[in-house]
Amino acid sequence: MSDLLHRPTLALGQRPKVLEVSRVAKVFNGNVTALRDMSLTVNEGDFISLLGPSGCGKSTALRLIAGLSNPTTGRILWQGGQGRDDLGVVFQEPTLMPWATVAENVWLPFRLRGKTYPQVRGEVEEALSLVGLSGFLNAYPRELSGGMKMRVSIARALVTNPRLILMDEPFAALDEITRHKLNTDLLALKANIGCTVIFVTHSVFESVFLSDRIVVMAARPGRVIEEVQITAPYPRDEAFRTSADYAAHCQVTSRALHAAMGEAA
Amino acid sequence: MTMADTPLTRAEAEVDAEEARRARAARTESVAKWVLPALVFVIMVVLWDRLVVWNDIPHYILPGPGLVMQTLVKDWPILFEALLVTLQITLMALAVAVIGGVGLAILFNQSRFAEMSFYPYAVILQVTPVVSIAPLIFIYVDNRTVGLLLCAWIVAFFPILANTTLGLNSTDHNLRDLFRIYGATRWQRLRFLQLPSALPYFLGGLRIAGGLSLIGAIVAEYVAGTGGIGSGLAFRILEAGYRLNIPRMFAALLLIAASGVVIFAGLSFLSHMLLRKWHESAIKRET
């Protein structure tokens, strides 16, 4: 296999900065504060979760970082400026084009910048093999299960080898068994290609399993309460889910979340 | 999956009563779907025939089905020529309706102001009965074919416009966001996202427009009314009516109905072929 989509992951503390979110706020219609005073530094190789109840602004934060809306105040600064290849996005739904095959769906980010399929065949096939879907290039989305569709969506997000991948509750609609499998595979994938991820979730367990940093957020108004470090080393596998270390981290994170919700109530 | 691995026990191999009943019902239904309408057709034709024979109804009042078929064969040269004229207008009108309907839909989609300005007039054009506009059209338009085409187009374009507009606006909002993130141009969004999304809607409108363009062509011929060479089926019906040639009226009517069915079936087939790979409407479910 070629090495088209790989970046080395450096140790924590040596990672170069990708992006700086600095004192960002978003107010809708002039009176609804969706997000207040959020600051966050994203370094290369980070796996950051935004964790909180609905209405805490985590999806708003993601949309701001994606450039889908502009902050009311504050700034989002990309290290070295933002290029077209810098972002990959995975939504809560697989968001595939039903009329296009799996390969054509993964080709989309390249197609939109004028690259023909033969030019990027290697990247498309490698991205699909990274998510374990090598044999499904010519399948249509309707022929795939929910979990497989999500894998296609992930392949599309990483096919351009972006500096940052945004995931907005990507596994929330899947059954628990599939979700656990995709969590494990996502970590293996991250270890393999060294991508940087911001992951929105409302599950304490999912965020602890995946992240090295969890940004705990509260609602009304949406804001950051605390940043929890998950010091457990990678690689983490299914055994990690039953370890004392995992339980301890979940407890700390849960407490932070409950404090956030209690404060909001 | 597991069934293939382990040999079936006797109980598993036997289909249970409910499944057997369901399978029987499905088989009956698939046969009945064709047999029942055919049976109704045969009964109606026989009834029609007997009614005419038993009551000695003269053929200038109600011809029997046999006489209608005879007339269809005997008058075939006249009727077939007229059929071709009507079909030509119908298909041309449908083609113009597709171009006009899709074109306007794209224009309205790309420019909200164009939509605000013109959509109400498209609706007015649609809700005004074509028979009431047609006489005016034939006063102002000298070319008869153009006049016919215009009438048929007015009737046929609206379902295509309305459905395609709906389709272009029904794109998945996450996909729209994705296109924005990847910096898609307006044209790319239209070409790769909105047009494919709109295809099933457009095809639904096309099926309706196919029938309507035939209706539009026939109505316009009635109004235009000029005879001689190059007249369509509607004119032949009018002409036969003046001469009390009732069998020919029935024969022409038969051809119009058959054309409508063929157009609908053809467009349904086209729709199925274009959507069968991916769209829900074209997918057969197991249960």
Side-chain angles (χ1 to χ4, degrees), chain A residues 63 66-68 84 87-89 91 93 95-99 108-109 111-113 140 142 156-157, chain B residues 172-175 177-184 188 191-193 196-197 276-280 283:
Chain A
R63 289 182 68 82
L68 289 169
R84 293 183 80 182
L87 262 182
V89 184
F91 297 96
E93 281 88 38
T95 313
L96 304 176
M97 301 178 290
W99 55 84
L108 180 75
R111 191 183 202 184
L112 291 176
R113 59 202 61 170
Y140 282 85
R142 68 171 178 89
R156 179 180 59 196
Chain B
D172 182 297
H173 66 278
N174 282 334
L175 274 173
D177 283 348
L178 196 72
F179 272 64
R180 264 185 71 191
I181 287 168
Y182 287 130
Q188 283 177 324
R191 164 80 185 74
F192 297 133
L193 178 61
S197 300
R276 73 200 158 101
K277 287 236 177 84
W278 63 273
H279 198 253
E280 287 294 332
I283 295 164

Side-chain angles (χ1 to χ4, degrees), chain A residues 180-261:
Chain A
H180 280 189
K181 177 84 176 91
L182 279 166
N183 282 164
T184 313
D185 289 357
L186 180 60
L187 280 191
L189 183 71
K190 190 190 167 299
N192 187 357
I193 67 174
C195 52
T196 310
V197 181
I198 299 181
F199 190 98
V200 166
T201 180
H202 51 233
S203 161
V204 170
F205 307 107
E206 191 175 43
S207 61
V208 171
F209 184 74
L210 293 171
S211 324
D212 39 30
R213 286 156 62 199
I214 300 175
V215 177
V216 181
M217 300 178 75
R220 279 173 293 275
R223 63 205 185 279
V224 175
I225 293 295
E226 194 180 334
E227 198 173 306
V228 180
Q229 304 269 344
I230 307 299
T231 49
Y234 296 98
R236 300 169 186 165
D237 53 13
E238 277 302 313
F240 176 60
R241 282 189 197 282
T242 49
S243 69
D245 200 12
Y246 178 71
H249 280 299
C250 284
Q251 203 175 12
V252 170
T253 312
S254 261
R255 211 173 283 147
L257 184 64
H258 282 124
M261 299 192 33

Side-chain angles (χ1 to χ4, degrees), chain A residues 137-160:
Chain A
L137 275 113
N138 297 314
Y140 282 85
R142 68 171 178 89
E143 298 166 303
L144 307 179
S145 67
M148 287 159 89
K149 283 182 204 165
M150 209 27 108
R151 287 169 188 273
V152 178
S153 194
I154 293 170
R156 179 180 59 196
L158 58 84
V159 72
T160 55

Side-chain angles (χ1 to χ4, degrees), chain B:
Chain B
M1 253 182 274
T2 50
M3 300 257 273
D5 301 335
T6 52
L8 296 176
T9 63
R10 207 183 137 73
E12 278 171 338
E14 278 170 10
V15 182
D16 68 62
E18 191 192 345
E19 282 300 308
R21 206 161 46 240
R22 204 211 306 270
R24 225 172 19 248
R27 263 199 311 278
T28 313
E29 199 169 303
S30 70
V31 175
K33 203 165 66 181
W34 297 101
V35 169
L36 286 182
L39 201 65
V40 169
F41 178 77
V42 170
I43 289 171
M44 291 303 286
V45 170
V46 169
L47 214 62
W48 174 12
D49 183 59
R50 289 302 95 192
L51 207 69
V52 171
V53 172
W54 287 337
N55 295 316
D56 267 335
I57 300 176
H59 64 77
Y60 52 82
I61 303 234
L62 177 64
L67 183 60
V68 171
M69 287 316 287
Q70 271 175 32
T71 313
L72 187 63
V73 174
K74 182 165 61 76
D75 294 348
W76 184 251
I78 302 169
L79 290 175
F80 185 64
E81 195 197 306
L83 174 67
L84 288 186
V85 171
T86 301
L87 281 184
Q88 196 191 0
I89 294 292
T90 304
L91 295 181
M92 279 164 72
L94 186 60
V96 182
V98 168
I99 296 166
V102 173
L104 279 176
I106 291 174
L107 176 73
F108 288 177
N109 181 264
Q110 294 296 308
S111 161
R112 290 284 300 154
F113 290 119
E115 182 176 7
M116 286 175 204
S117 310
F118 296 115
Y119 197 80
Y121 299 99
V123 174
I124 289 170
L125 210 55
Q126 164 66 16
V127 295
T128 312
V130 71
V131 249
S132 58
I133 314 175
L136 283 171
I137 288 176
F138 286 106
I139 289 173
Y140 297 119
V141 178
D142 282 336
N143 187 312
R144 188 165 167 278
T145 309
V146 173
L148 291 174
L149 210 57
L150 201 58
C151 290
W153 178 78
I154 286 173
V155 189
F157 89 98
F158 192 77
I160 295 184
L161 169 65
N163 273 28
T164 310
T165 302
L166 181 65
L168 290 172
N169 291 332
S170 300
T171 50
D172 182 297
H173 66 278
N174 282 334
L175 274 173
R176 267 205 307 271
D177 283 348
L178 196 72
F179 272 64
R180 264 185 71 191
I181 287 168
Y182 287 130
T185 62
R186 198 175 246 258
W187 161 248
Q188 283 177 324
R189 196 181 57 197
L190 180 68
R191 164 80 185 74
F192 297 133
L193 178 61
Q194 291 181 293
L195 287 178
S197 300
L199 184 66
Y201 296 84
F202 161 74
L203 289 167
L206 183 67
R207 270 195 286 185
I208 301 168
L212 286 180
S213 52
L214 181 64
I215 293 173
I218 297 284
V219 169
E221 278 178 25
Y222 269 113
V223 177
T226 44
I229 295 163
S231 304
L233 279 174
F235 176 75
R236 291 297 166 203
I237 289 179
L238 277 181
E239 182 194 49
Y242 296 141
R243 297 177 186 177
L244 286 183
N245 188 348
I246 312 296
R248 191 189 279 179
M249 290 177 83
F250 270 90
L253 182 62
L254 203 64
L255 281 181
I256 292 174
S259 308
V261 171
V262 168
I263 289 170
F264 185 81
L267 293 176
S268 298
F269 180 70
L270 176 75
S271 169
H272 177 78
M273 292 311 284
L274 287 175
L275 299 182
R276 73 200 158 101
K277 287 236 177 84
W278 63 273
H279 198 253
E280 287 294 332
S281 68
I283 295 164
K284 281 209 171 76
R285 291 259 165 243
E286 289 295 313
T287 47

